[in-house]
Amino acid sequence: MMFRRFFKSPLIPNAMHQGTPPPVITFSGSRPNGSKGLRRQKRDWVIPPINVAENSRGPFPQMLVSIRSDQDKDISIRYSITGVGADQPPNEVFNIDPVLGKMFVTKPLDREHRSSYHLRAHAVDMNGNQVENPIDLYIFVIDMNDNRPEFKNQVYNGSVDEGSKPGTYVMHVSAFDGDDNTTANGMVRYRILSQMPHSPIPNMFTINSETGDIVTVAPGLDREKVSQYTIIVQATDMEGNLNFGLSNTATAIITVTDINDNPPMLTSRTFSGEVPENRVDLAVANLTVIDADQPHSPNWNAVYRIISGDPSGHFTIRTDPVSNDGLVTVMKPVDFEMNRAFMLTVVVSNQAHLASGIQSALQSTAGVTISVQDVNEPPYFPTNPKHIRFEEGVPAGTSLTTFSASDPDRLQMQQTIRYSKLSDLADWLSINRTNGQIVTTAMLDRESIYVKNNIYEATFLATDNGSPAASGTGTLQIYLIDINDNPPALIPRESQICERVNKNVHGVNITAADADTDPNAGPFVFELPNFPSSIRRNWTISRISGDFARLGLRYQIYLEPGVYEVPVIVSDSGNPPLSNRSVIKVKVCPCDEHGDCTTLGAVAAAGLGTGAIISILICIIILLKKERHTKQLLIDPEDDVRDNILKYDEEGSQLQQPDSLEHIISKPPGVRRVDERPVIPESQYPIRPVVPHPGDIGDFIHEGLRAADNDPTAPPYDSLLVFDYEGSGSTAGSVSSLNSSSTGDQDYDYLNDWGPRFKKLADMYGGGED
């Protein structure tokens, strides 16, 4: 059985829109093994590819081709396709109707993503048996011009020497087009759209339309006139067809590089200078030169040479690397008595050789006259000290004045004066080394510790280049005008006030301190803030004078004792005024009639509780108890007749020591002793011996009574010692029952002989019953 094969022309773009039916592809070749009537036929042609245009607008699915087997008349055939784009990623780009054999494309194709597909078509019966050999299908994606040329860089940089001849290569630019470069869609051509500047002509450069190479097209490149060109380059596909092609642009920056086409030119044919004798390493003349070439390059750097007038080599010329000036410098000391002047011939050239064809001008040679001087006087400042006025607060970099000095020898020696700083305590100023201009290096502050009476003083030094060098000093006095740059500060920051207003104490006097001066200081304005509201509800401020106010509690306001932080807003009188919110800590406490905090009030104001107050009082009592051993007698010293008295506490301790201090703390008020031993030197009378602790307390008391009766220094009281603590269960019984063995017949007239200290006792006891 022979297979029929039939093929029509491949699908072309828009063919479906023109009503052209899709081609039909019929299976051909040998049948699979086992097929009835199998015959081989020579394959004499290849199925041509199917062409599909990219970016088709559909509608989709769009039919591409029909595939059929000539056996479909006898049996039911099922068709399928395999390969990339069918059953392999990207899947379902193509599909086929399994019954009718119509193959479709399901979406637009992108040639730049994938330019071709290779599929295989299969035909099987209803049982899945292959009835035809697979056929190969090749689908080519036809390119459309859907990509613009893209430059690799948006900005290209190139350079060319000035004076270059036409045709000199400058730089290369290139653009890439994603379309098929074998077709016009991807063929890019270049052209120059614009050139800036247009000097000397608008078209100094051209570009190779195919390669993108930029070359010079005209002479006249001169770096000293135009140092850089900006060129806009356009790339267009469709072989540069501006009507159909897509375009893009880039910028090419061409720098004109310098060549040494300008010789250095001395600004004068003659120069002069002065040199003091016996000085070396001193610049005595300054040669100036101009050169139009690139500054600080070998084409610009000047080289000076002395070609005559100095056979002994006294001078050399050094090039200033910044200004390119020639500094004539003394290398060997000169003698005024031998040479009063030198006539030098100087020639100048560049570090690099001149470009070909450039001739050196006559101005590259000059004469230099150096006069030798034999005296020198120091420079002086015509106005010294110099007074200037400036507002404080001027920023760093402000020029204040030019503080220049004069040299008495300037008519003869042409000396150069250099300035420096000698004294600048705050380090606020700098001075220009050559012209004496004073510039601030920091902000001027009138309130600085280095400013006295609004004046800041600095000293500068002016030094000439004489031999030997002479110097003069000058003082600059800057009167600093005050500005309002300091807010006031509240004084004091802590105080106390009575918890209730009384006639003696009305509040706390407050004021403020301001580093500024009039009119930027007082009078001050004192205010209480609106928030929190309790401040104005409890406190008030009343004005006393321009600088003082009184802070107090409002009338009939009672505050618990304690420390209160009261905010106060203080404003000065500047324009505009400055304000400061400060806090004063006010201790509110109960006061006595003098307006002073009482002891309890101070404790309460400290915020202590009742238990803490009781503990403090107990400590005070204990301390007072301990101090009784050294406390003076509470009676009038003139009435004190004792020189040495046995301490009652000591005797009481011999009777019985208490186990605790509870009896002292809880002891009810009553008579207290006033006859403590005075803290004075001991009496001339011997101290009564202290007997050892007796075994019987009664014997101890009787022994003490006997010693008291026989002691002329004993107190003239007809009573026994009063003890703070007698204890309980004493074997001696009540001491109040004891009587002195001495009665009223004792003679006290001898007290008159003891001096004025005992005269009052003699009057009391020596005069009878009275």
Side-chain angles (χ1 to χ4, degrees):
M1 178 178 180
M2 174 181 272
F3 293 102
R4 222 165 19 105
R5 47 192 178 176
F6 171 75
F7 178 77
K8 290 189 176 181
S9 60
L11 183 69
I12 61 174
N14 300 322
M16 300 303 295
H17 298 286
Q18 297 172 359
T20 304
V24 178
I25 300 177
T26 303
F27 284 92
S28 62
S30 63
R31 303 281 183 186
N33 291 334
S35 298
K36 295 180 180 182
L38 177 63
R39 296 177 59 188
R40 289 190 174 273
Q41 184 176 358
K42 182 179 179 181
R43 185 170 299 193
D44 56 354
W45 58 272
V46 177
I47 298 175
I50 303 170
N51 295 324
V52 181
E54 66 173 334
N55 303 323
S56 173
R57 298 183 179 181
F60 295 99
Q62 183 178 4
M63 183 176 174
L64 300 180
V65 69
S66 289
I67 300 173
R68 60 177 299 276
S69 170
D70 55 2
Q71 296 189 62
D72 59 358
K73 297 177 182 179
D74 302 326
I75 61 174
S76 295
I77 302 297
R78 292 293 180 265
Y79 301 98
S80 64
I81 55 174
T82 60
V84 175
D87 61 343
Q88 300 177 28
N91 301 73
E92 299 181 352
V93 176
F94 305 95
N95 60 25
I96 190 170
D97 187 317
V99 176
L100 301 179
K102 295 180 179 180
M103 190 175 75
F104 300 90
V105 60
T106 63
K107 59 183 178 181
L109 302 181
D110 184 0
R111 190 203 67 85
E112 286 72 44
H113 177 69
R114 190 177 185 89
S115 61
S116 65
Y117 296 87
H118 176 204
L119 304 177
R120 304 197 80 186
H122 305 270
V124 297
D125 59 17
M126 297 301 293
N127 295 323
N129 298 317
Q130 178 177 317
V131 297
E132 299 282 3
N133 287 328
I135 60 173
D136 293 317
L137 301 176
Y138 295 93
I139 302 171
F140 289 163
V141 182
I142 304 303
D143 182 52
M144 304 293 290
N145 190 18
D146 58 345
N147 289 276
R148 291 179 179 275
E150 296 290 341
F151 282 96
K152 293 181 179 180
N153 304 305
Q154 280 302 305
V155 178
Y156 293 83
N157 290 284
S159 63
V160 62
D161 286 342
E162 61 177 330
S164 296
K165 297 179 180 180
T168 302
Y169 173 83
V170 178
M171 61 191 300
H172 172 77
V173 298
S174 63
F176 170 78
D177 195 308
D179 294 323
D180 188 355
N181 58 8
T182 63
T183 68
N185 295 338
M187 294 181 180
V188 179
R189 298 294 181 264
Y190 303 93
R191 71 191 187 105
I192 294 177
L193 293 182
S194 65
Q195 167 195 304
M196 290 297 295
H198 292 170
S199 176
I201 60 173
N203 300 310
M204 290 294 295
F205 306 92
T206 186
I207 187 170
N208 187 303
S209 63
E210 295 185 6
T211 64
D213 291 335
I214 299 176
V215 297
T216 60
V217 72
L221 291 175
D222 189 348
R223 189 203 66 86
E224 288 72 46
K225 294 180 179 178
V226 178
S227 60
Q228 190 178 84
Y229 289 91
T230 300
I231 292 177
I232 304 300
V233 178
Q234 183 184 61
T236 306
D237 57 17
M238 297 300 289
E239 297 183 279
N241 189 317
L242 299 178
N243 294 324
F244 304 103
L246 301 178
S247 300
N248 223 330
T249 60
T251 301
I253 297 177
I254 301 174
T255 300
V256 181
T257 54
D258 184 55
I259 65 172
N260 193 12
D261 57 344
N262 292 278
M265 306 285 288
L266 288 163
T267 58
S268 176
R269 296 297 302 274
T270 60
F271 295 89
S272 61
E274 298 175 344
V275 55
E277 58 180 342
N278 302 319
R279 289 290 303 274
V280 294
D281 294 329
L282 183 68
V284 297
N286 192 49
L287 312 182
T288 56
V289 68
I290 57 174
D291 194 318
D293 291 320
Q294 180 70 43
H296 307 289
S297 69
N299 298 333
W300 178 83
N301 296 336
V303 177
Y304 299 87
R305 292 181 296 115
I306 300 174
I307 59 176
S308 66
D310 183 25
S312 300
H314 289 283
F315 303 95
T316 188
I317 303 179
R318 298 171 179 169
T319 302
D320 188 314
V322 176
S323 64
N324 215 25
D325 292 348
L327 304 178
V328 181
T329 306
V330 183
M331 296 298 295
K332 294 171 59 178
V334 296
D335 188 349
F336 176 78
E337 286 69 30
M338 296 182 62
N339 296 289
R340 296 193 177 185
F342 290 86
M343 302 297 295
L344 308 178
T345 302
V346 176
V347 63
V348 61
S349 60
N350 286 129
Q351 186 177 347
H353 294 293
L354 285 174
S356 176
I358 305 299
Q359 299 294 327
S360 178
L362 296 177
Q363 282 79 359
S364 60
T365 303
V368 182
T369 302
I370 306 296
S371 301
V372 181
Q373 301 295 326
D374 62 342
V375 293
N376 186 29
E377 296 180 70
Y380 69 94
F381 292 87
T383 303
N384 194 12
K386 183 174 183 177
H387 304 274
I388 61 174
R389 293 171 62 92
F390 260 85
E391 277 192 350
E392 68 169 331
V394 296
T398 302
S399 177
L400 299 182
T401 186
T402 299
F403 197 26
S404 58
S406 300
D407 194 333
D409 304 317
R410 62 185 181 275
L411 297 179
Q412 300 181 21
M413 300 180 65
Q414 295 292 322
Q415 289 177 337
T416 301
I417 297 177
R418 297 289 183 262
Y419 300 90
S420 60
K421 189 166 59 173
L422 189 62
S423 174
D424 180 16
L425 296 179
D427 198 19
W428 285 347
L429 308 175
S430 68
I431 186 169
N432 186 286
R433 176 175 169 80
T434 57
N435 60 17
Q437 185 181 27
I438 306 295
V439 177
T440 61
T441 59
M443 186 177 70
L444 305 183
D445 184 9
R446 190 196 66 86
E447 288 75 34
S448 169
I449 60 174
Y450 302 108
V451 177
K452 307 298 182 184
N453 298 323
N454 301 325
I455 294 177
Y456 180 72
E457 192 171 277
T459 306
F460 298 92
L461 188 70
T463 305
D464 64 18
N465 55 357
S467 179
S471 300
T473 60
T475 300
L476 179 66
Q477 292 182 341
I478 307 173
Y479 183 93
L480 295 176
I481 303 170
D482 184 52
I483 63 173
N484 193 21
D485 59 343
N486 291 276
L490 185 68
I491 298 175
R493 304 306 291 269
E494 297 181 358
S495 187
Q496 68 180 32
I497 193 171
C498 295
E499 64 183 359
R500 296 185 185 275
V501 178
N502 58 49
K503 63 180 181 179
N504 294 325
V505 179
H506 300 288
V508 178
N509 289 345
I510 58 176
T511 183
D514 197 320
D516 295 321
T517 187
D518 290 335
N520 296 318
F524 301 106
V525 176
F526 302 88
E527 298 176 289
L528 292 174
N530 293 323
F531 183 82
S533 59
S534 59
I535 300 301
R536 287 182 175 263
R537 186 170 59 247
N538 296 332
W539 302 88
T540 182
I541 288 182
S542 57
R543 183 183 180 87
I544 299 177
S545 65
D547 294 337
F548 292 89
R550 181 172 290 115
L551 172 68
L553 290 171
R554 287 194 176 275
Y555 185 70
Q556 294 183 344
I557 289 296
Y558 170 78
L559 293 181
E560 289 290 336
V563 178
Y564 293 81
E565 292 187 353
V566 182
V568 178
I569 300 174
V570 188
S571 302
D572 59 22
S573 296
N575 185 20
L578 294 181
S579 299
N580 187 15
R581 181 186 175 109
S582 303
V583 174
I584 178 172
K585 294 183 178 180
V586 182
K587 181 172 70 176
V588 178
C589 59
C591 296
D592 56 20
E593 64 273 17
H594 301 294
D596 297 322
C597 280
T598 62
T599 303
L600 290 176
V603 175
L608 299 178
T610 305
I613 296 175
I614 293 175
S615 300
I616 293 174
L617 291 177
I618 292 174
C619 294
I620 293 174
I621 294 173
I622 294 174
L623 292 175
L624 291 176
K625 179 69 179 178
K626 292 181 177 292
E627 291 178 356
R628 294 177 63 187
H629 293 283
T630 58
K631 187 176 182 183
Q632 283 188 323
L633 290 173
L634 300 180
I635 61 176
D636 193 336
E638 294 182 357
D639 299 333
D640 186 10
V641 296
R642 297 166 300 164
D643 286 337
N644 196 338
I645 298 176
L646 179 64
K647 285 181 63 69
Y648 288 87
D649 280 335
E650 294 175 356
E651 286 195 4
S653 65
Q654 294 179 32
L655 290 175
Q656 185 171 349
Q657 290 291 349
D659 295 331
S660 68
L661 296 176
E662 291 181 0
H663 71 287
I664 298 175
I665 300 172
S666 60
K667 190 173 183 180
V671 179
R672 292 292 183 265
R673 291 170 41 216
V674 293
D675 54 352
E676 291 285 343
R677 176 184 298 175
V679 185
I680 58 176
E682 293 293 337
S683 168
Q684 60 183 344
Y685 299 100
I687 301 175
R688 295 195 302 270
V690 179
V691 298
H693 194 289
D696 184 80
I697 192 64
D699 294 340
F700 173 77
I701 294 175
H702 285 293
E703 179 62 24
L705 177 62
R706 186 188 63 80
D709 289 341
N710 297 327
D711 189 355
T713 65
Y717 315 123
D718 191 12
S719 63
L720 291 179
L721 303 178
V722 179
F723 295 95
D724 280 339
Y725 182 79
E726 293 183 354
S728 62
S730 175
T731 58
S734 176
V735 295
S736 62
S737 63
L738 299 177
N739 294 321
S740 174
S741 61
S742 175
T743 59
D745 57 357
Q746 184 173 349
D747 185 10
Y748 292 99
D749 291 339
Y750 64 88
L751 295 173
N752 292 319
D753 300 331
W754 286 11
R757 294 181 60 191
F758 299 92
K759 184 176 184 303
K760 192 169 184 177
L761 290 176
D763 294 340
M764 294 173 61
Y765 294 95
E769 294 298 329
D770 295 338

